Amino acid sequence: MKTATCQIRSLSPYSQSKFIQSERDDKESAGDFEKRCWRERCHGTVDGQVFIPPMAFKNCIAEAARYLSVKIPGKRNNTYTKHFEAGVLVMNGPVLNLKVDDVEGEWLFVNADGKRGSGTRVMRCYPVIREWKAEVVFFVLDETVTEDVFRYHLENAGSFIGIGRFRPRNNGYYGRFQVESITWSEAGASMSQAA
């Protein structure tokens, strides 16, 4: 098993859309509720720092593998897709150098039910981070995924799959990133420590 410690930097803003758990007060308007609770759409640590969920990166690179469908040399028509889906993990989400309380809000006129073209539209506020960088550690359990194959898929994932709300894979342009460096090494005991 290998670890790929990746330094990434934003190519476009990143926006989160976590489910709001607070309930609307009896006499509170929908607009007032949105103003009061929109920051709950951020993923925050117990001490109030913004973090990116680990599954955002795991799903991002797995989506890239499905999209690219690169064939494995010497394996007929087999692609790397299943090897990324089952054989690559991210155990911890990177914590950004930003407090939830300091995140900028972006007000948008969106479909009330989240489905494009459904009719009713309402104002919603989503957290947006204009510039960001992170260190992401991928655990590569499947030896079919080599360093070069991993790098190719991650670079493409950052370009046209992305992470978060309004990412390219969902017809947007947020959440794109570039790979600044990858340190490829033996995992050793680090995976058990991450759990």
Side-chain angles (χ1 to χ4, degrees):
M1 178 173 57
K2 307 287 187 183
T3 57
T5 303
C6 308
Q7 306 297 331
I8 64 172
R9 182 179 294 274
S10 61
L11 288 172
S12 63
Y14 167 57
S15 181
Q16 299 185 331
S17 59
K18 186 170 70 91
F19 176 73
I20 293 177
Q21 293 185 330
S22 290
E23 293 185 8
R24 192 166 138 191
D25 294 338
D26 291 339
K27 296 181 180 180
E28 188 175 35
S29 70
D32 288 340
F33 173 75
E34 189 69 19
K35 288 175 187 174
R36 178 171 64 88
C37 297
W38 69 266
R39 287 185 192 277
E40 288 187 32
R41 290 195 172 96
C42 287
H43 293 272
T45 63
V46 292
D47 60 348
Q49 294 289 124
V50 177
F51 77 94
I52 303 175
M55 291 305 292
F57 291 103
K58 191 272 189 290
N59 290 339
C60 178
I61 200 165
E63 276 284 327
R66 276 196 296 280
Y67 183 88
L68 293 168
S69 293
V70 176
K71 292 181 181 177
I72 303 171
K75 296 277 186 165
R76 293 192 174 205
N77 290 326
N78 290 340
T79 69
Y80 286 101
T81 303
K82 66 182 180 182
H83 300 279
F84 275 93
E85 289 177 339
V88 176
L89 302 173
V90 179
M91 304 296 287
N92 295 304
V95 178
L96 303 182
N97 187 25
L98 180 66
K99 290 276 191 185
V100 170
D101 290 342
D102 297 330
V103 173
E104 175 187 343
E106 179 177 55
W107 286 91
L108 301 168
F109 195 49
V110 298
N111 293 300
D113 60 2
K115 296 177 183 175
R116 191 183 313 172
S118 63
T120 307
R121 287 181 165 265
V122 294
M123 291 300 294
R124 294 277 190 261
C125 188
Y126 292 91
V128 62
I129 301 160
R130 300 293 174 189
E131 293 183 4
W132 51 279
K133 62 181 179 178
E135 179 178 280
V136 186
V137 179
F138 291 82
F139 292 92
V140 183
L141 287 70
D142 192 320
E143 293 183 4
T144 306
V145 179
T146 64
E147 182 175 1
D148 289 342
V149 168
F150 177 86
R151 178 182 294 275
Y152 176 75
H153 281 79
L154 186 63
E155 287 174 348
N156 279 279
S159 295
F160 60 80
I161 301 295
I163 59 169
R165 182 191 67 81
F166 200 56
R167 60 190 177 274
R169 191 68 177 109
N170 290 348
N171 297 308
Y173 54 87
Y174 279 7
R176 296 178 62 242
F177 58 87
Q178 63 185 352
V179 180
E180 294 193 320
S181 69
I182 298 175
T183 303
W184 188 262
S185 59
E186 290 291 337
S190 57
M191 185 171 175
S192 60
Q193 292 170 355

